[in-house]
Amino acid sequence: MRVATVKHPIPFRDWLLVALSVLLVTLTLFMARLEPLFQALFPDVSNPVYRRESFLQLTLDHLLLVLVSSLISVSVGVGAGLFVTRRGGREFEPMVSSMAAIGQTFPPAAVLAIVVPLAGFGFVPTVVALTLYGLLPVIQNTIAGLNTVPPATLEAARGIGMTQGQILRRVELPIAMRVIIAGVRVSVIINIGTATIGATVGAQSLGTPIIAGLVGNNIAYVIQGALLVGLLAIVSDLLFERLERRFTFGA
Amino acid sequence: MAHDRVPGDEERHTGSLVTNRVLLTLLVAALLGVVLLPFASMAPNRLMSGQAVGVTAAMLSWQWLALAGLAGILTACALSRPFPARLARWLTLTAAPLWLLLALYGLGDYASRALQDASPAARVSQGAAFWILVFCPILMIIDAFQRLGSSLAVRGLYSVVLVVLVGAMFAGDTFDALSIMREYANNKGTFTAEFLAHLRLVGLALGPALLMGLPLGLLARRHPTARGPLFGALNFFQTIPSIALFALLVAPLSALGEALPWLKAIGVGGIGAAPAVIALIMYSLLPVVRNTYAGFAGVPATTIEAARGMGMTSRQILWKIEVPLALPVILSGLRIVTVQAIGLTVVAALIGAGGLGAFIFQGLGQYAIDLVLLGAVPTIALAVVADFLLQILVALSKPAGMR
């Protein structure tokens, strides 16, 4: 539902992106080296660093969940958005828009929980839930983006003899691209968060140490998982912001 | 329901047989679901997975024949003959809810019949086809209203009647034999407590978020230089996954609680409501501030100019011109944060804050699926109802000329 995007001085944002990316990679690879620090912070804990799985593996698992579901969401979502904005599918647009709007009021964690009885525990149900939820912002923004194309522009494109396919590729998609990418951004950020909760339904992710820490009363694990997943989300968001800027027209 | 665009009535001029492809698609989806997926499942106890039962096996013959009859009427509504378009829509608005109620009744009725001569531990749960039979008629109703272009008042009244009817079925004994309702019966006291805890967390977050967000939004409007850093910082919080923010607040708050015993005495500690409420406030600020800003920015400069010309003071302009004109956009922000907070509060159960999420995570831990649903279904219902009510509030807040 992000509608307004706000402009920031570019150098600071780019500097932040580089710094946080470096921090994310370093922490992912060398979290175990921070053992003395965590030991000092939490002297009562006997194992201050999560070791059941390497943080690199957890981060890769997390990214895999998000990548697989986002790829499906984006291809299906953009496809559906294209379909309902063409002549043959116009009739479906109000229904699809309503479903996307109503679906987004469903809490992501509840959607994840609803999928479990239908698909079981583990990687697959988490991907199903992430895909279903991630679809909605993509569809919504694809429709919104394509609807921003002025009718006069389409008329002009038709007037100079462009085919439907050319109009789509060279007029409509370039104009709509920034809004579509904004939808993908919302979808990916939500999915990074929901993949964390996926740990409660048995999908290994950066949420796994968080849950383990909350269950075992080990705040150090919680911090390690939360720090990485927070950084992952912010770095992804900044990357998408850059991408959106690149597709801004006439600004 | 947020989109009021009505597809043109070009359908009447095309001369084709199918005039409502949306309705027909939904009927085909329902048919496929009923043929391919289980309507209900029966398990020997609450933890084992059940045996799938199809629609015709679960329902009495009059029930599924009635369902098929309603599907026939709805199919006729999707075609150009025999009904004229407007009649077809009103007929859809009559047949679809009957279908919905029949699917609900059929499930409850099956559960009570199936359990009559089964062991007391046996459980009947709803299957995927049941959900399809519930969602398809709801979508048909939405589609019919979109095509009729009905006012929000008509839609609201219709929804209230439907909700009351379904509520009456829940209040009666229709669903008592169903596994999710057995979980409810077993957890009645806790359910009420957790439901209220959920609402309290949402309220505790929204109050301060509004108190801080409204002035901040106005500040962003009045001082353009503050805008960039303010929105940047708030977007930063919004981006952090909920469970991470909840979890990251646990450590500093438990340290704070240890250091200051009087804080601990009023409930501020590592685990519990305090980190949840703080995180929820941080999440709620961005939509409130952004919509307040957008609301004030949307007031036409000429209107303010005219008010000044009439001799109104700045204070009068704020309260009599700007606030009323910005109100619909501000309330849309409230709608976003309310729905968002209801959803995020689910996750707060993981850090011991309570709320309906407690059932979800408890159920996931015990592999008790119906306990999971006892948390998930009411949360979704709460979010959808809150969304609908606030949508009505937004519509009412629009000045007469803009409605």
Side-chain angles (χ1 to χ4, degrees), chain A residues 2 8 88 91-95 98-99 102 105-107 109 113 117 121 147 193 196-197 214 219 222 226 229 233-234 237, chain B residues 1 5 19-22 25 139 143 146-147 228 232 235-236 239 241 243-244 247 250-251 339 343 347 367 369 372 383-384 387:
Chain A
R2 286 151 206 250
H8 297 276
E91 197 187 346
F92 289 86
E93 202 220 275
M95 172 56 57
S98 296
M99 280 168 73
I102 297 170
T105 64
F106 288 24
F121 283 79
N147 280 341
T196 321
I197 308 170
L214 287 172
I219 302 286
V222 174
V229 81
I234 289 167
D237 192 55
Chain B
M1 278 173 271
R5 195 127 51 92
T19 50
N20 187 340
R21 290 193 295 147
V22 177
T25 310
L139 294 175
D143 175 63
Q146 278 169 343
R147 283 165 195 265
N235 186 52
F236 191 80
T239 307
I243 185 173
V250 168
V339 171
V347 182
Y367 293 84
I369 295 307
V372 174
V384 172
D387 186 61

Side-chain angles (χ1 to χ4, degrees), chain B residues 328-393:
Chain B
V329 184
I330 297 176
L331 287 176
S332 311
L334 179 65
R335 178 180 163 200
I336 295 172
V337 286
T338 308
V339 171
Q340 180 185 277
I342 289 172
L344 290 172
T345 304
V346 172
V347 182
L350 279 175
I351 54 164
L356 290 168
F359 292 117
I360 296 183
F361 296 115
Q362 201 187 327
L364 288 173
Q366 300 174 356
Y367 293 84
I369 295 307
D370 290 298
L371 192 56
V372 174
L373 292 180
L374 184 62
V377 174
T379 319
I380 292 177
L382 191 61
V384 172
V385 168
D387 186 61
F388 189 62
L389 291 179
L390 284 164
Q391 201 181 331
I392 291 174
L393 196 64

Side-chain angles (χ1 to χ4, degrees), chain B residues 222-244:
Chain B
R222 300 275 193 259
H223 303 277
T225 46
R227 217 174 292 157
L230 181 66
F231 282 115
L234 293 178
N235 186 52
F236 191 80
F237 291 130
Q238 191 84 12
T239 307
I240 300 175
S242 52
I243 185 173

Side-chain angles (χ1 to χ4, degrees), chain A residues 66-79:
Chain A
V66 175
L67 269 180
V68 171
S69 53
S70 294
L71 279 177
I72 307 174
S73 292
V74 170
S75 33
V76 177
V78 172

